[in-house]
Structures are given as C-alpha cells and as structure tokens.
Amino acid sequence: MKIRGVILALLVAGGFYVMIQTIDEASSHPFERLQDQQLNGLNPYSSITFRQPGSHARHAVTWKVDEAEEIDRLLSFLQAYDYERIDPDTLQLFDDQSFFTIDLQDETGNRMTILIEEGVLIHNDRLYYQVVNGPMQVDWLMDFIISNKP
C-alpha cells in the first residue's frame, strides 16, 4: 500500500512539474528574460550586423556596427515589447525568400537575429519568439537601420 502511495505521489508531482513548464513556455516574456536565456549570464552583445537582401541582379548588402550606444538603443527598443515562444513549423517562412535581418552578437559568438517581415520575429538559436503586444514600430526600425548605414 505504501508503494502505491509513493508512486501516486511521484506521478502527481511529475504532472504538476510538466504543467508548470508548459504554462511557462506558453506565456509571454519580457525581452530581458529572452536576453538572459540567450546569454546565460555571459557577455552582453558587442555588435550589430545588418543584412539588406539583394534582388535578382544584386547581391545582399551587409554592414556591421560596433558602437555601444547603438546596441543600447536597439536593446531599449526591443525591451518595450513582450514575446511568446512559437513553433517554427507554424511559420510560413520560405527558404528562397530573403528578409532584412538585424543580428546582435556577443564576443563568444552567441547571436540573436531579428527578421523584419510584416512584423518582427526573434530567432534565438533554434527558438522562435513573436511579439505579443505589437505591432512593432517598423518606422523606428527603418530609421535605426538608415541612421547606421555607412
């Protein structure tokens, strides 16, 4: 009888743990939490790489910005929004379609990519997040990109 009680208690505890994890993954998160997950307490971002897609006749244009003030400006903008994790299989992204991207990188090679397409998705290694309290101010992003273009 005691063994059944212990097994039942373990099953209830395990089910409760799985339920909490599922709720935690499904809820929205502030940018600071995503940044903490990305960096795991390591160095902050040290550079921004912009990639402007090319047309059929032109190649893509890429440039890099290492100014701490510009990195802080972008991070402050991203902190105004909450994000929720989404399944990448539900996205309708086509591999042959190019997107305007902004990559934040730290000195150890960790990267967070912002895809600009009808809104913004953040790709964190293989984790995808979508803005919950959007839409994002695309005008601000375009001004930011233009102000940092060489």
Side-chain angles (χ1 to χ4, degrees):
M1 194 68 144
K2 290 181 181 181
I3 294 175
R4 287 184 194 166
V6 171
I7 291 173
L8 181 60
L10 289 174
L11 284 173
V12 169
F16 184 72
Y17 175 77
V18 169
M19 182 180 70
I20 296 297
Q21 289 295 344
T22 303
I23 289 170
D24 189 43
E25 287 180 5
S27 62
S28 64
H29 305 288
F31 182 75
E32 292 86 6
R33 184 165 175 194
L34 301 182
Q35 192 175 5
D36 290 343
Q37 290 174 356
Q38 169 74 19
L39 297 175
N40 294 324
L42 299 174
N43 301 329
Y45 296 111
S46 58
S47 68
I48 304 172
T49 303
F50 298 92
R51 185 175 183 276
Q52 179 179 353
S55 63
H56 295 290
R58 294 184 348 183
H59 294 289
V61 178
T62 303
W63 67 95
K64 189 173 184 177
V65 174
D66 295 329
E67 298 173 22
E69 303 85 35
E70 294 303 309
I71 295 168
D72 289 341
R73 266 184 58 201
L74 180 59
L75 292 176
S76 294
F77 171 76
L78 294 173
Q79 289 172 357
Y81 299 96
D82 290 332
Y83 304 87
E84 70 179 351
R85 188 172 169 188
I86 57 174
D87 182 11
D89 295 333
T90 63
L91 296 175
Q92 300 284 329
L93 298 177
F94 302 103
D95 292 335
D96 60 341
Q97 186 176 2
S98 298
F99 298 105
F100 204 112
T101 62
I102 301 173
D103 287 336
L104 287 162
Q105 294 181 324
D106 68 8
E107 294 173 359
T108 61
N110 290 322
R111 182 176 71 171
M112 184 177 287
T113 301
I114 304 165
L115 303 174
I116 302 174
E117 177 229 8
E118 291 184 20
V120 175
L121 299 170
I122 295 181
H123 172 241
N124 181 357
D125 196 10
R126 281 181 256 152
L127 302 175
Y128 289 76
Y129 296 91
Q130 187 171 18
V131 174
V132 176
N133 56 344
M136 279 220 166
Q137 296 175 357
V138 177
D139 293 340
W140 186 93
L141 278 172
M142 288 300 140
D143 289 342
F144 179 75
I145 291 166
I146 291 169
S147 69
N148 282 292
K149 194 167 186 178

